[in-house]
Amino acid sequence: MKNLKSIVTFITIAAIFCLSLSQNVFAEETHMAYKLKKLQPYVDELNSINEELGTDLVMLLSSQEDIDLAYSSYSNMEVDEFREYIIKLYNNEIRVECAASESNIETYGVVLPEEEFDDIQRAYIYSTDSCLEIYSKCYKYNNTSYYESIIGYSNSTLSYPAYRSHSGFDHTFNKNQTSATFTFTVYWYVSPGVYNNNSGKTVTFTLWAGGADTFVGVDI
């Protein structure tokens, strides 16, 4: 009977856990659907702007993070305000500083321990206000640094309009992996989450393991 009681208790706990998990997932999906519904008028207004001005502006809504950013950026605006705001940014009549929480640029020194180390290097894209942060694992041997692997990247943006990437990248190492050459496609974002779909530019740059940041272009 004791074993049966334990089994029943376990099944009950498991059922409660599964029910709680499914409820949380449902709540997240419902919340996301609510935000998408609230964002629809702004998406429609972008389509109207595109028809009138011959532009190809798109709101990036491919992930929950994208949806959250768009919702926090625009849901408090009237549609007319949104229209005026986007057109002014598109025409480069104004620049908008990012909220402190959106910018994650920090100052990192070049650290070269004798064995493995993590590194963050930046490629500034057409402006010192926008960069791609490249995350890598490196190691040092006989006073020379080498790439072990490229972990990934993120965008850091201080103000808009700015070039950003959302479509991944390619990279190749040189023969001994002391350097890596990266290829990104960047798009002109007029504001958080809203970009010109016809603005894609291919940028290529090379970084050296444990080395300095680089600049790609000089202006938007």
Side-chain angles (χ1 to χ4, degrees):
M1 287 295 292
K2 185 175 180 181
N3 288 339
L4 179 60
K5 185 177 180 181
S6 298
I7 293 171
V8 171
T9 300
F10 173 77
I11 293 174
T12 302
I13 293 172
I16 292 172
F17 174 77
C18 290
L19 179 61
S20 174
L21 182 61
S22 63
Q23 286 176 337
N24 287 339
V25 171
F26 177 75
E28 287 179 6
E29 290 178 349
T30 302
H31 196 52
M32 193 155 53
Y34 169 81
K35 289 184 175 181
L36 283 171
K37 183 178 179 181
K38 288 291 187 180
L39 287 169
Q40 189 59 50
Y42 306 96
V43 174
D44 293 341
E45 192 61 31
L46 280 180
N47 291 333
S48 296
I49 293 172
N50 289 334
E51 290 177 7
E52 292 175 24
L53 303 183
T55 55
D56 192 14
L57 298 175
V58 177
M59 187 175 290
L60 187 64
L61 299 171
S62 58
S63 69
Q64 184 170 343
E65 183 179 356
D66 297 333
I67 294 168
D68 289 342
L69 175 61
Y71 183 81
S72 64
S73 298
Y74 307 120
S75 61
N76 290 328
M77 287 186 186
E78 297 293 335
V79 173
D80 289 346
E81 289 180 291
F82 173 77
R83 175 188 179 83
E84 182 181 1
Y85 172 77
I86 292 298
I87 290 176
K88 283 185 176 180
L89 283 166
Y90 179 81
N91 290 330
N92 212 16
E93 296 174 11
I94 59 172
R95 291 194 68 85
V96 178
E97 300 298 319
C98 295
S101 59
E102 186 184 351
S103 172
N104 61 350
I105 293 181
E106 298 177 22
T107 301
Y108 289 82
V110 178
V111 182
L112 298 176
E114 287 299 320
E115 298 180 355
E116 282 192 345
F117 63 97
D118 295 332
D119 199 10
I120 300 176
Q121 294 167 292
R122 297 175 184 82
Y124 291 90
I125 307 300
Y126 295 98
S127 168
T128 55
D129 273 2
S130 183
C131 71
L132 300 166
E133 292 188 333
I134 312 299
Y135 301 85
S136 62
K137 282 192 174 295
C138 305
Y139 64 95
K140 186 180 179 184
Y141 181 73
N142 284 343
N143 294 318
T144 300
S145 294
Y146 303 85
Y147 284 112
E148 182 177 312
S149 62
I150 305 300
I151 301 169
Y153 82 102
S154 66
N155 292 278
S156 286
T157 306
L158 292 177
S159 68
Y160 288 90
Y163 277 100
R164 291 168 63 91
S165 174
H166 59 248
S167 55
F169 66 97
D170 293 321
H171 75 279
T172 56
F173 295 114
N174 67 347
K175 186 176 181 179
N176 59 5
Q177 294 197 190
T178 54
S179 72
T181 298
F182 299 84
T183 301
F184 281 84
T185 299
V186 295
Y187 293 85
W188 190 46
Y189 275 73
V190 297
S191 65
V194 175
Y195 65 98
N196 184 359
N197 200 34
N198 284 330
S199 64
K201 292 179 180 287
T202 300
V203 295
T204 301
F205 55 89
T206 298
L207 295 172
W208 293 84
D213 300 335
T214 190
F215 286 80
V216 181
V218 294
D219 203 356
I220 291 178

